[in-house]
Amino acid sequence: MRKIAIIGGGQAGMPVAFGLLDKGYDVSLYTNRTPEQIRAGRVMSSQCMFANALDVERRLGINLWEHECPPVEGIGFALPNPEQPDTKAIDWSGRLDRIAQATDQRIKMPIWLEEFARRGGSVIFEDVGVAELERISQEHELTILAAGKGEVVRLFERDATRSPYASPQRALALTYVHGLEPTPNYSRVSFNFIPGVGEYFVFPSLTLSGPCDIMVFEGVPNGPLDRFRDAQSPQDHFERSISFLEEFLPWEADRARHCELTDNQGYLAGSFAPTVRKPVLTLPSGNKVLGMGDAVVVNDPITGQGSNNAAKCAQVYLDQILARGAQRFDQAWMEATFEKYWDYASQVVSWTNSMLAAPTPQALALLTGAAQHPKLAHFLANAFDDPTVLYPAWDNVAEAEKLIQSTTKVFATA
Ligand SMILES: Cc1cc2nc3c(=O)[nH]c(=O)nc-3n(C[C@H](O)[C@H](O)[C@H](O)COP(=O)(O)OP(=O)(O)OC[C@H]3O[C@@H](n4cnc5c(N)ncnc54)[C@H](O)[C@@H]3O)c2cc1C
């Protein structure tokens, strides 16, 4: 039985742990928070996961909230009219072919940890640093570090060629609420882009106190949406959320008239630089550690891809470990495994990073074109499930035009 260690009980590490356990591997999962600490702690993410990522959980039998978690059925996009900010210059929505879902990680991770132990995995609660990595890597044939944004991941070297930003591009905030008015016709992620100020998106989720909505704020640093850093209390954070909507997005403020914070831990504020790191860490002893998930590819949440990437990374790593059979997990294999994931993730990173900058002509053509062409809106909505379909159009004006033409034609004959 091959001995594998996974460090980090999050969206990337846990599915690999479950998958290997299921195939008879001896899996030890090291993580630094107990189920009780996670349940009683602050929200960590907005974690909207699209169908392909949810399929990873379905295949492993860990899709435990499928029937309970409210569906996200589409994507909406709005841009306020600069001449008349209480109206929209662009407004479209498209239905997802298969629903997305966002289960609060405070629900999901504790139950996954308990379920993993129930299925026979070993869970060790330990804050892992270099000394622990040395010990763990000595005792296992493969050590995977999936510690998200934990300090320990800084041990992986930043890959400057794949990381265009050296500092945070947005001041982030989350506000979990009950009582938000639903969108008409179908539920959706409602994106609002306010050039120069930032972005706001909101969608249904499941939290500890039942169905809710998650508000995500992405403020351009030092601008009017960078307003959460010094909030004095949960209620203060909530009030700053609502006052922003009243000031900049009246249609979203209307939906929020009767809402309240889900709980005193249902909010978050912070920032980080989108970063790609080199995937293999060499410890002082010479032992190697393979990075995965946010530990090595951390995106700004603007496109809602982090949990999706984590699940997809888990599938790639799981398949590669199983395909390795009894051979050694050497550095070449580790690098090849990461590159296999990077084949997919590179375009997600590129798309996400582009959304943090001024829109390119092709992005504008696509985003404005979708308001005229429902098939294009449908295409762009479903691209959240697999952003690679946006390429080459997202990078190239002529390709974007071709895509617009093709969806227009399909629409004309549909
Ligand atoms: C504001 C915000 C909004 C987001 N919204 C979305 C969204 O809508 N859709 C989406 O797909 N993604 C979203 N994400 C991103 C998503 O949450 C992450 O990408 C995803 O959780 C990454 O999974 P991971 O397993 O790599 O890391 P995590 O889920 O963070 O897990 C890391 C694990 O490692 C453990 N750990 C950390 N340090 C140590 C240590 N030293 N020793 C032992 N254990 C350790 C932690 O306790 C945790 O269990 C959002 C993120 C943020 C910040």
Side-chain angles (χ1 to χ4, degrees), residues 7-12 31-33 44-48 105 126-128 146-150 152 174 203 272 293-294 301 304-308 310:
I7 299 153
Q11 186 63 54
T31 198
N32 63 358
R33 294 175 79 207
M44 295 168 271
S45 172
S46 59
Q47 72 267 320
C48 185
Q105 293 185 342
E126 185 171 26
D127 193 44
V128 173
K149 300 179 196 70
V152 67
L174 295 175
F203 49 91
F272 58 86
D294 272 11
Q305 293 295 312
S307 291
N308 292 275

PDB file of all heavy atoms in Angstrom, residues 7-12 31-33 44-48 105 126-128 146-150 152 174 203 272 293-294 301 304-308 310, ligand 1:
ATOM      1  N   ILE A   7      -1.285  17.661   2.928  1.00  0.00           N
ATOM      2  CA  ILE A   7      -1.327  18.701   3.974  1.00  0.00           C
ATOM      3  C   ILE A   7      -2.313  19.776   3.527  1.00  0.00           C
ATOM      4  O   ILE A   7      -2.094  20.424   2.490  1.00  0.00           O
ATOM      5  CB  ILE A   7       0.077  19.278   4.214  1.00  0.00           C
ATOM      6  CG1 ILE A   7       1.003  18.142   4.691  1.00  0.00           C
ATOM      7  CG2 ILE A   7       0.026  20.410   5.246  1.00  0.00           C
ATOM      8  CD1 ILE A   7       2.439  18.360   4.351  1.00  0.00           C
ATOM      9  N   GLY A   8      -3.383  19.925   4.298  1.00  0.00           N
ATOM     10  CA  GLY A   8      -4.413  20.907   3.966  1.00  0.00           C
ATOM     11  C   GLY A   8      -5.742  20.217   3.726  1.00  0.00           C
ATOM     12  O   GLY A   8      -5.894  19.476   2.747  1.00  0.00           O
ATOM     13  N   GLY A   9      -6.693  20.453   4.630  1.00  0.00           N
ATOM     14  CA  GLY A   9      -8.014  19.832   4.493  1.00  0.00           C
ATOM     15  C   GLY A   9      -8.988  20.763   3.818  1.00  0.00           C
ATOM     16  O   GLY A   9     -10.039  21.101   4.356  1.00  0.00           O
ATOM     17  N   GLY A  10      -8.660  21.213   2.603  1.00  0.00           N
ATOM     18  CA  GLY A  10      -9.510  22.159   1.883  1.00  0.00           C
ATOM     19  C   GLY A  10     -10.025  21.584   0.570  1.00  0.00           C
ATOM     20  O   GLY A  10     -10.017  20.364   0.351  1.00  0.00           O
ATOM     21  N   GLN A  11     -10.441  22.490  -0.312  1.00  0.00           N
ATOM     22  CA  GLN A  11     -11.099  22.098  -1.565  1.00  0.00           C
ATOM     23  C   GLN A  11     -10.164  21.362  -2.522  1.00  0.00           C
ATOM     24  O   GLN A  11     -10.619  20.572  -3.341  1.00  0.00           O
ATOM     25  CB  GLN A  11     -11.676  23.353  -2.229  1.00  0.00           C
ATOM     26  CG  GLN A  11     -12.503  23.092  -3.463  1.00  0.00           C
ATOM     27  CD  GLN A  11     -13.756  22.275  -3.186  1.00  0.00           C
ATOM     28  OE1 GLN A  11     -14.564  22.613  -2.334  1.00  0.00           O
ATOM     29  NE2 GLN A  11     -13.931  21.175  -3.903  1.00  0.00           N
ATOM     30  N   ALA A  12      -8.866  21.589  -2.407  1.00  0.00           N
ATOM     31  CA  ALA A  12      -7.931  20.886  -3.304  1.00  0.00           C
ATOM     32  C   ALA A  12      -7.499  19.556  -2.700  1.00  0.00           C
ATOM     33  O   ALA A  12      -7.572  18.504  -3.350  1.00  0.00           O
ATOM     34  CB  ALA A  12      -6.703  21.769  -3.564  1.00  0.00           C
ATOM     35  N   THR A  31      -3.921  18.729   8.783  1.00  0.00           N
ATOM     36  CA  THR A  31      -4.551  20.042   8.617  1.00  0.00           C
ATOM     37  C   THR A  31      -4.539  20.785   9.939  1.00  0.00           C
ATOM     38  O   THR A  31      -4.446  20.157  10.998  1.00  0.00           O
ATOM     39  CB  THR A  31      -5.968  19.895   7.995  1.00  0.00           C
ATOM     40  OG1 THR A  31      -6.378  21.143   7.473  1.00  0.00           O
ATOM     41  CG2 THR A  31      -6.985  19.337   8.987  1.00  0.00           C
ATOM     42  N   ASN A  32      -4.609  22.126   9.852  1.00  0.00           N
ATOM     43  CA  ASN A  32      -4.371  22.882  11.096  1.00  0.00           C
ATOM     44  C   ASN A  32      -5.638  23.408  11.766  1.00  0.00           C
ATOM     45  O   ASN A  32      -5.551  24.188  12.702  1.00  0.00           O
ATOM     46  CB  ASN A  32      -3.371  24.021  10.851  1.00  0.00           C
ATOM     47  CG  ASN A  32      -3.896  25.043   9.871  1.00  0.00           C
ATOM     48  OD1 ASN A  32      -4.997  24.895   9.334  1.00  0.00           O
ATOM     49  ND2 ASN A  32      -3.116  26.085   9.622  1.00  0.00           N
ATOM     50  N   ARG A  33      -6.818  22.966  11.265  1.00  0.00           N
ATOM     51  CA  ARG A  33      -8.047  23.399  11.955  1.00  0.00           C
ATOM     52  C   ARG A  33      -8.978  22.201  12.129  1.00  0.00           C
ATOM     53  O   ARG A  33      -9.203  21.434  11.177  1.00  0.00           O
ATOM     54  CB  ARG A  33      -8.741  24.498  11.162  1.00  0.00           C
ATOM     55  CG  ARG A  33      -7.897  25.784  11.103  1.00  0.00           C
ATOM     56  CD  ARG A  33      -8.550  26.798  10.207  1.00  0.00           C
ATOM     57  NE  ARG A  33      -9.644  27.471  10.870  1.00  0.00           N
ATOM     58  CZ  ARG A  33     -10.686  27.985  10.217  1.00  0.00           C
ATOM     59  NH1 ARG A  33     -10.772  27.897   8.912  1.00  0.00           N
ATOM     60  NH2 ARG A  33     -11.647  28.591  10.881  1.00  0.00           N
ATOM     61  N   MET A  44     -14.818  31.755   4.679  1.00  0.00           N
ATOM     62  CA  MET A  44     -13.490  31.787   4.052  1.00  0.00           C
ATOM     63  C   MET A  44     -13.532  32.154   2.578  1.00  0.00           C
ATOM     64  O   MET A  44     -12.524  32.509   1.984  1.00  0.00           O
ATOM     65  CB  MET A  44     -12.839  30.405   4.203  1.00  0.00           C
ATOM     66  CG  MET A  44     -12.561  30.043   5.648  1.00  0.00           C
ATOM     67  SD  MET A  44     -12.131  28.316   5.849  1.00  0.00           S
ATOM     68  CE  MET A  44     -13.723  27.559   6.087  1.00  0.00           C
ATOM     69  N   SER A  45     -14.712  32.004   1.968  1.00  0.00           N
ATOM     70  CA  SER A  45     -14.768  32.075   0.510  1.00  0.00           C
ATOM     71  C   SER A  45     -16.215  32.285   0.114  1.00  0.00           C
ATOM     72  O   SER A  45     -17.120  32.243   0.955  1.00  0.00           O
ATOM     73  CB  SER A  45     -14.260  30.734  -0.047  1.00  0.00           C
ATOM     74  OG  SER A  45     -14.435  30.639  -1.430  1.00  0.00           O
ATOM     75  N   SER A  46     -16.440  32.464  -1.209  1.00  0.00           N
ATOM     76  CA  SER A  46     -17.832  32.402  -1.667  1.00  0.00           C
ATOM     77  C   SER A  46     -18.052  31.118  -2.477  1.00  0.00           C
ATOM     78  O   SER A  46     -19.188  30.760  -2.753  1.00  0.00           O
ATOM     79  CB  SER A  46     -18.202  33.650  -2.459  1.00  0.00           C
ATOM     80  OG  SER A  46     -17.375  33.819  -3.581  1.00  0.00           O
ATOM     81  N   GLN A  47     -16.957  30.451  -2.873  1.00  0.00           N
ATOM     82  CA  GLN A  47     -16.945  29.059  -3.346  1.00  0.00           C
ATOM     83  C   GLN A  47     -18.049  28.627  -4.312  1.00  0.00           C
ATOM     84  O   GLN A  47     -18.563  27.511  -4.207  1.00  0.00           O
ATOM     85  CB  GLN A  47     -16.903  28.122  -2.126  1.00  0.00           C
ATOM     86  CG  GLN A  47     -18.163  27.992  -1.252  1.00  0.00           C
ATOM     87  CD  GLN A  47     -18.224  28.906  -0.068  1.00  0.00           C
ATOM     88  OE1 GLN A  47     -17.235  29.125   0.596  1.00  0.00           O
ATOM     89  NE2 GLN A  47     -19.383  29.461   0.193  1.00  0.00           N
ATOM     90  N   CYS A  48     -18.428  29.483  -5.260  1.00  0.00           N
ATOM     91  CA  CYS A  48     -19.431  29.043  -6.247  1.00  0.00           C
ATOM     92  C   CYS A  48     -18.767  28.051  -7.206  1.00  0.00           C
ATOM     93  O   CYS A  48     -17.794  28.383  -7.871  1.00  0.00           O
ATOM     94  CB  CYS A  48     -19.985  30.241  -7.015  1.00  0.00           C
ATOM     95  SG  CYS A  48     -21.302  29.757  -8.129  1.00  0.00           S
ATOM     96  N   GLN A 105     -17.975  26.705   3.040  1.00  0.00           N
ATOM     97  CA  GLN A 105     -16.898  25.785   3.439  1.00  0.00           C
ATOM     98  C   GLN A 105     -16.947  25.472   4.935  1.00  0.00           C
ATOM     99  O   GLN A 105     -16.369  24.487   5.377  1.00  0.00           O
ATOM    100  CB  GLN A 105     -15.536  26.371   3.047  1.00  0.00           C
ATOM    101  CG  GLN A 105     -15.361  26.449   1.531  1.00  0.00           C
ATOM    102  CD  GLN A 105     -13.977  26.917   1.105  1.00  0.00           C
ATOM    103  OE1 GLN A 105     -13.244  27.497   1.891  1.00  0.00           O
ATOM    104  NE2 GLN A 105     -13.636  26.702  -0.162  1.00  0.00           N
ATOM    105  N   GLU A 126      -2.452  19.379  12.868  1.00  0.00           N
ATOM    106  CA  GLU A 126      -1.096  19.867  13.122  1.00  0.00           C
ATOM    107  C   GLU A 126      -0.836  21.069  12.221  1.00  0.00           C
ATOM    108  O   GLU A 126      -1.233  21.065  11.054  1.00  0.00           O
ATOM    109  CB  GLU A 126      -0.118  18.734  12.776  1.00  0.00           C
ATOM    110  CG  GLU A 126       1.318  19.039  13.092  1.00  0.00           C
ATOM    111  CD  GLU A 126       2.225  17.812  12.930  1.00  0.00           C
ATOM    112  OE1 GLU A 126       1.887  16.901  12.143  1.00  0.00           O
ATOM    113  OE2 GLU A 126       3.274  17.794  13.578  1.00  0.00           O
ATOM    114  N   ASP A 127      -0.184  22.089  12.753  1.00  0.00           N
ATOM    115  CA  ASP A 127       0.205  23.227  11.930  1.00  0.00           C
ATOM    116  C   ASP A 127       1.570  22.885  11.327  1.00  0.00           C
ATOM    117  O   ASP A 127       2.562  22.789  12.042  1.00  0.00           O
ATOM    118  CB  ASP A 127       0.273  24.491  12.793  1.00  0.00           C
ATOM    119  CG  ASP A 127       0.355  25.735  11.940  1.00  0.00           C
ATOM    120  OD1 ASP A 127      -0.393  25.834  10.947  1.00  0.00           O
ATOM    121  OD2 ASP A 127       1.191  26.599  12.254  1.00  0.00           O
ATOM    122  N   VAL A 128       1.590  22.705  10.019  1.00  0.00           N
ATOM    123  CA  VAL A 128       2.787  22.163   9.374  1.00  0.00           C
ATOM    124  C   VAL A 128       3.723  23.289   8.917  1.00  0.00           C
ATOM    125  O   VAL A 128       3.298  24.215   8.215  1.00  0.00           O
ATOM    126  CB  VAL A 128       2.370  21.262   8.185  1.00  0.00           C
ATOM    127  CG1 VAL A 128       3.588  20.825   7.388  1.00  0.00           C
ATOM    128  CG2 VAL A 128       1.598  20.052   8.693  1.00  0.00           C
ATOM    129  N   ALA A 146      -1.211  21.311   0.167  1.00  0.00           N
ATOM    130  CA  ALA A 146      -2.407  21.987  -0.361  1.00  0.00           C
ATOM    131  C   ALA A 146      -2.942  22.910   0.724  1.00  0.00           C
ATOM    132  O   ALA A 146      -4.106  22.814   1.117  1.00  0.00           O
ATOM    133  CB  ALA A 146      -3.447  20.943  -0.765  1.00  0.00           C
ATOM    134  N   ALA A 147      -2.058  23.784   1.214  1.00  0.00           N
ATOM    135  CA  ALA A 147      -2.393  24.610   2.383  1.00  0.00           C
ATOM    136  C   ALA A 147      -2.968  25.970   2.007  1.00  0.00           C
ATOM    137  O   ALA A 147      -2.905  26.918   2.800  1.00  0.00           O
ATOM    138  CB  ALA A 147      -1.167  24.761   3.269  1.00  0.00           C
ATOM    139  N   GLY A 148      -3.550  26.083   0.824  1.00  0.00           N
ATOM    140  CA  GLY A 148      -4.274  27.294   0.432  1.00  0.00           C
ATOM    141  C   GLY A 148      -3.424  28.544   0.499  1.00  0.00           C
ATOM    142  O   GLY A 148      -2.376  28.640  -0.132  1.00  0.00           O
ATOM    143  N   LYS A 149      -3.898  29.516   1.287  1.00  0.00           N
ATOM    144  CA  LYS A 149      -3.167  30.780   1.419  1.00  0.00           C
ATOM    145  C   LYS A 149      -2.379  30.809   2.725  1.00  0.00           C
ATOM    146  O   LYS A 149      -1.960  31.866   3.192  1.00  0.00           O
ATOM    147  CB  LYS A 149      -4.133  31.958   1.340  1.00  0.00           C
ATOM    148  CG  LYS A 149      -4.892  32.011   0.020  1.00  0.00           C
ATOM    149  CD  LYS A 149      -5.870  33.171  -0.032  1.00  0.00           C
ATOM    150  CE  LYS A 149      -6.881  33.025  -1.144  1.00  0.00           C
ATOM    151  NZ  LYS A 149      -7.884  31.960  -0.940  1.00  0.00           N
ATOM    152  N   GLY A 150      -2.202  29.650   3.361  1.00  0.00           N
ATOM    153  CA  GLY A 150      -1.424  29.581   4.613  1.00  0.00           C
ATOM    154  C   GLY A 150       0.009  30.053   4.382  1.00  0.00           C
ATOM    155  O   GLY A 150       0.553  29.920   3.285  1.00  0.00           O
ATOM    156  N   VAL A 152       2.739  28.813   5.079  1.00  0.00           N
ATOM    157  CA  VAL A 152       3.691  27.784   4.673  1.00  0.00           C
ATOM    158  C   VAL A 152       3.856  27.702   3.145  1.00  0.00           C
ATOM    159  O   VAL A 152       4.911  27.315   2.655  1.00  0.00           O
ATOM    160  CB  VAL A 152       3.263  26.414   5.285  1.00  0.00           C
ATOM    161  CG1 VAL A 152       1.953  25.906   4.676  1.00  0.00           C
ATOM    162  CG2 VAL A 152       4.349  25.374   5.156  1.00  0.00           C
ATOM    163  N   LEU A 174     -16.537  39.865   1.724  1.00  0.00           N
ATOM    164  CA  LEU A 174     -17.691  38.964   1.607  1.00  0.00           C
ATOM    165  C   LEU A 174     -18.711  39.360   2.653  1.00  0.00           C
ATOM    166  O   LEU A 174     -18.344  39.683   3.789  1.00  0.00           O
ATOM    167  CB  LEU A 174     -17.279  37.522   1.921  1.00  0.00           C
ATOM    168  CG  LEU A 174     -16.296  36.827   0.997  1.00  0.00           C
ATOM    169  CD1 LEU A 174     -15.938  35.462   1.574  1.00  0.00           C
ATOM    170  CD2 LEU A 174     -16.908  36.672  -0.389  1.00  0.00           C
ATOM    171  N   PHE A 203     -24.860  35.852  -5.262  1.00  0.00           N
ATOM    172  CA  PHE A 203     -25.522  34.623  -5.729  1.00  0.00           C
ATOM    173  C   PHE A 203     -25.975  33.785  -4.534  1.00  0.00           C
ATOM    174  O   PHE A 203     -25.463  33.938  -3.420  1.00  0.00           O
ATOM    175  CB  PHE A 203     -24.588  33.804  -6.625  1.00  0.00           C
ATOM    176  CG  PHE A 203     -23.222  33.587  -6.038  1.00  0.00           C
ATOM    177  CD1 PHE A 203     -22.955  32.470  -5.258  1.00  0.00           C
ATOM    178  CD2 PHE A 203     -22.210  34.501  -6.263  1.00  0.00           C
ATOM    179  CE1 PHE A 203     -21.690  32.269  -4.709  1.00  0.00           C
ATOM    180  CE2 PHE A 203     -20.947  34.309  -5.707  1.00  0.00           C
ATOM    181  CZ  PHE A 203     -20.686  33.196  -4.931  1.00  0.00           C
ATOM    182  N   PHE A 272      -5.066  39.781  -1.457  1.00  0.00           N
ATOM    183  CA  PHE A 272      -3.851  39.013  -1.753  1.00  0.00           C
ATOM    184  C   PHE A 272      -3.503  39.209  -3.223  1.00  0.00           C
ATOM    185  O   PHE A 272      -4.381  39.544  -4.036  1.00  0.00           O
ATOM    186  CB  PHE A 272      -4.029  37.516  -1.420  1.00  0.00           C
ATOM    187  CG  PHE A 272      -5.170  36.860  -2.159  1.00  0.00           C
ATOM    188  CD1 PHE A 272      -4.989  36.335  -3.423  1.00  0.00           C
ATOM    189  CD2 PHE A 272      -6.438  36.793  -1.584  1.00  0.00           C
ATOM    190  CE1 PHE A 272      -6.038  35.750  -4.113  1.00  0.00           C
ATOM    191  CE2 PHE A 272      -7.499  36.214  -2.268  1.00  0.00           C
ATOM    192  CZ  PHE A 272      -7.289  35.687  -3.536  1.00  0.00           C
ATOM    193  N   GLY A 293      -3.498  23.308  -5.745  1.00  0.00           N
ATOM    194  CA  GLY A 293      -4.560  24.256  -5.408  1.00  0.00           C
ATOM    195  C   GLY A 293      -3.999  25.663  -5.245  1.00  0.00           C
ATOM    196  O   GLY A 293      -3.008  26.046  -5.887  1.00  0.00           O
ATOM    197  N   ASP A 294      -4.609  26.420  -4.321  1.00  0.00           N
ATOM    198  CA  ASP A 294      -4.199  27.814  -4.110  1.00  0.00           C
ATOM    199  C   ASP A 294      -2.732  27.922  -3.692  1.00  0.00           C
ATOM    200  O   ASP A 294      -2.115  28.972  -3.865  1.00  0.00           O
ATOM    201  CB  ASP A 294      -5.047  28.447  -2.994  1.00  0.00           C
ATOM    202  CG  ASP A 294      -6.339  29.063  -3.515  1.00  0.00           C
ATOM    203  OD1 ASP A 294      -6.674  28.819  -4.693  1.00  0.00           O
ATOM    204  OD2 ASP A 294      -7.008  29.773  -2.743  1.00  0.00           O
ATOM    205  N   PRO A 301     -10.557  36.353  -6.821  1.00  0.00           N
ATOM    206  CA  PRO A 301     -11.892  35.724  -6.937  1.00  0.00           C
ATOM    207  C   PRO A 301     -12.806  36.346  -7.994  1.00  0.00           C
ATOM    208  O   PRO A 301     -13.938  35.884  -8.153  1.00  0.00           O
ATOM    209  CB  PRO A 301     -12.508  35.934  -5.551  1.00  0.00           C
ATOM    210  CG  PRO A 301     -11.427  36.380  -4.656  1.00  0.00           C
ATOM    211  CD  PRO A 301     -10.339  36.963  -5.502  1.00  0.00           C
ATOM    212  N   GLY A 304     -14.514  33.876  -9.922  1.00  0.00           N
ATOM    213  CA  GLY A 304     -15.060  32.753  -9.146  1.00  0.00           C
ATOM    214  C   GLY A 304     -14.498  31.411  -9.563  1.00  0.00           C
ATOM    215  O   GLY A 304     -15.235  30.436  -9.712  1.00  0.00           O
ATOM    216  N   GLN A 305     -13.182  31.319  -9.740  1.00  0.00           N
ATOM    217  CA  GLN A 305     -12.622  30.067 -10.266  1.00  0.00           C
ATOM    218  C   GLN A 305     -11.801  29.262  -9.258  1.00  0.00           C
ATOM    219  O   GLN A 305     -11.455  28.110  -9.524  1.00  0.00           O
ATOM    220  CB  GLN A 305     -11.766  30.373 -11.501  1.00  0.00           C
ATOM    221  CG  GLN A 305     -12.575  30.874 -12.682  1.00  0.00           C
ATOM    222  CD  GLN A 305     -13.546  29.839 -13.235  1.00  0.00           C
ATOM    223  OE1 GLN A 305     -13.171  28.700 -13.466  1.00  0.00           O
ATOM    224  NE2 GLN A 305     -14.795  30.230 -13.428  1.00  0.00           N
ATOM    225  N   GLY A 306     -11.468  29.823  -8.096  1.00  0.00           N
ATOM    226  CA  GLY A 306     -10.510  29.162  -7.201  1.00  0.00           C
ATOM    227  C   GLY A 306     -10.927  27.770  -6.744  1.00  0.00           C
ATOM    228  O   GLY A 306     -10.143  26.815  -6.817  1.00  0.00           O
ATOM    229  N   SER A 307     -12.151  27.621  -6.278  1.00  0.00           N
ATOM    230  CA  SER A 307     -12.613  26.298  -5.822  1.00  0.00           C
ATOM    231  C   SER A 307     -12.767  25.362  -7.019  1.00  0.00           C
ATOM    232  O   SER A 307     -12.531  24.160  -6.904  1.00  0.00           O
ATOM    233  CB  SER A 307     -13.959  26.413  -5.113  1.00  0.00           C
ATOM    234  OG  SER A 307     -13.800  27.075  -3.902  1.00  0.00           O
ATOM    235  N   ASN A 308     -13.191  25.944  -8.126  1.00  0.00           N
ATOM    236  CA  ASN A 308     -13.320  25.140  -9.358  1.00  0.00           C
ATOM    237  C   ASN A 308     -11.959  24.615  -9.779  1.00  0.00           C
ATOM    238  O   ASN A 308     -11.794  23.432 -10.086  1.00  0.00           O
ATOM    239  CB  ASN A 308     -13.926  26.007 -10.468  1.00  0.00           C
ATOM    240  CG  ASN A 308     -15.367  26.377 -10.182  1.00  0.00           C
ATOM    241  OD1 ASN A 308     -16.275  25.622 -10.493  1.00  0.00           O
ATOM    242  ND2 ASN A 308     -15.578  27.522  -9.546  1.00  0.00           N
ATOM    243  N   ALA A 310      -9.393  24.232  -7.840  1.00  0.00           N
ATOM    244  CA  ALA A 310      -8.915  23.295  -6.817  1.00  0.00           C
ATOM    245  C   ALA A 310      -9.465  21.894  -7.094  1.00  0.00           C
ATOM    246  O   ALA A 310      -8.731  20.899  -7.048  1.00  0.00           O
ATOM    247  CB  ALA A 310      -9.329  23.779  -5.432  1.00  0.00           C
TER     248      ALA A 310
HETATM  249  C1  LIG B   1     -13.234  36.396  -1.024  1.00  0.00           C
HETATM  250  C2  LIG B   1     -13.102  35.097  -1.760  1.00  0.00           C
HETATM  251  C3  LIG B   1     -14.130  34.659  -2.592  1.00  0.00           C
HETATM  252  C4  LIG B   1     -14.001  33.475  -3.310  1.00  0.00           C
HETATM  253  N1  LIG B   1     -15.011  33.073  -4.136  1.00  0.00           N
HETATM  254  C5  LIG B   1     -14.880  31.951  -4.881  1.00  0.00           C
HETATM  255  C6  LIG B   1     -15.935  31.526  -5.758  1.00  0.00           C
HETATM  256  O1  LIG B   1     -17.015  32.110  -5.833  1.00  0.00           O
HETATM  257  N2  LIG B   1     -15.733  30.421  -6.518  1.00  0.00           N
HETATM  258  C7  LIG B   1     -14.560  29.717  -6.431  1.00  0.00           C
HETATM  259  O2  LIG B   1     -14.425  28.716  -7.155  1.00  0.00           O
HETATM  260  N3  LIG B   1     -13.574  30.086  -5.592  1.00  0.00           N
HETATM  261  C8  LIG B   1     -13.702  31.172  -4.819  1.00  0.00           C
HETATM  262  N4  LIG B   1     -12.706  31.541  -3.968  1.00  0.00           N
HETATM  263  C9  LIG B   1     -11.451  30.762  -3.928  1.00  0.00           C
HETATM  264  C10 LIG B   1     -11.553  29.440  -3.198  1.00  0.00           C
HETATM  265  O3  LIG B   1     -12.097  29.585  -1.925  1.00  0.00           O
HETATM  266  C11 LIG B   1     -10.151  28.841  -3.066  1.00  0.00           C
HETATM  267  O4  LIG B   1      -9.497  28.916  -4.296  1.00  0.00           O
HETATM  268  C12 LIG B   1     -10.201  27.361  -2.647  1.00  0.00           C
HETATM  269  O5  LIG B   1     -10.771  27.229  -1.377  1.00  0.00           O
HETATM  270  C13 LIG B   1      -8.769  26.816  -2.675  1.00  0.00           C
HETATM  271  O6  LIG B   1      -8.725  25.510  -2.170  1.00  0.00           O
HETATM  272  P1  LIG B   1      -7.393  24.997  -1.457  1.00  0.00           P
HETATM  273  O7  LIG B   1      -7.699  23.628  -0.979  1.00  0.00           O
HETATM  274  O8  LIG B   1      -6.236  25.219  -2.335  1.00  0.00           O
HETATM  275  O9  LIG B   1      -7.209  25.953  -0.206  1.00  0.00           O
HETATM  276  P2  LIG B   1      -8.160  26.084   1.058  1.00  0.00           P
HETATM  277  O10 LIG B   1      -9.555  25.723   0.722  1.00  0.00           O
HETATM  278  O11 LIG B   1      -7.867  27.419   1.632  1.00  0.00           O
HETATM  279  O12 LIG B   1      -7.619  24.957   2.063  1.00  0.00           O
HETATM  280  C14 LIG B   1      -6.368  25.052   2.665  1.00  0.00           C
HETATM  281  C15 LIG B   1      -6.320  24.108   3.848  1.00  0.00           C
HETATM  282  O13 LIG B   1      -4.990  24.075   4.389  1.00  0.00           O
HETATM  283  C16 LIG B   1      -5.033  24.220   5.793  1.00  0.00           C
HETATM  284  N5  LIG B   1      -3.746  24.794   6.187  1.00  0.00           N
HETATM  285  C17 LIG B   1      -3.264  26.035   5.934  1.00  0.00           C
HETATM  286  N6  LIG B   1      -2.024  26.184   6.425  1.00  0.00           N
HETATM  287  C18 LIG B   1      -1.707  24.998   7.007  1.00  0.00           C
HETATM  288  C19 LIG B   1      -0.561  24.521   7.706  1.00  0.00           C
HETATM  289  N7  LIG B   1       0.503  25.301   7.912  1.00  0.00           N
HETATM  290  N8  LIG B   1      -0.574  23.257   8.174  1.00  0.00           N
HETATM  291  C20 LIG B   1      -1.648  22.445   8.004  1.00  0.00           C
HETATM  292  N9  LIG B   1      -2.758  22.854   7.336  1.00  0.00           N
HETATM  293  C21 LIG B   1      -2.788  24.109   6.855  1.00  0.00           C
HETATM  294  C22 LIG B   1      -6.242  25.102   6.046  1.00  0.00           C
HETATM  295  O14 LIG B   1      -6.749  24.978   7.356  1.00  0.00           O
HETATM  296  C23 LIG B   1      -7.211  24.526   5.003  1.00  0.00           C
HETATM  297  O15 LIG B   1      -7.840  23.376   5.505  1.00  0.00           O
HETATM  298  C24 LIG B   1     -12.807  32.713  -3.208  1.00  0.00           C
HETATM  299  C25 LIG B   1     -11.796  33.138  -2.349  1.00  0.00           C
HETATM  300  C26 LIG B   1     -11.934  34.300  -1.629  1.00  0.00           C
HETATM  301  C27 LIG B   1     -10.814  34.741  -0.712  1.00  0.00           C
END
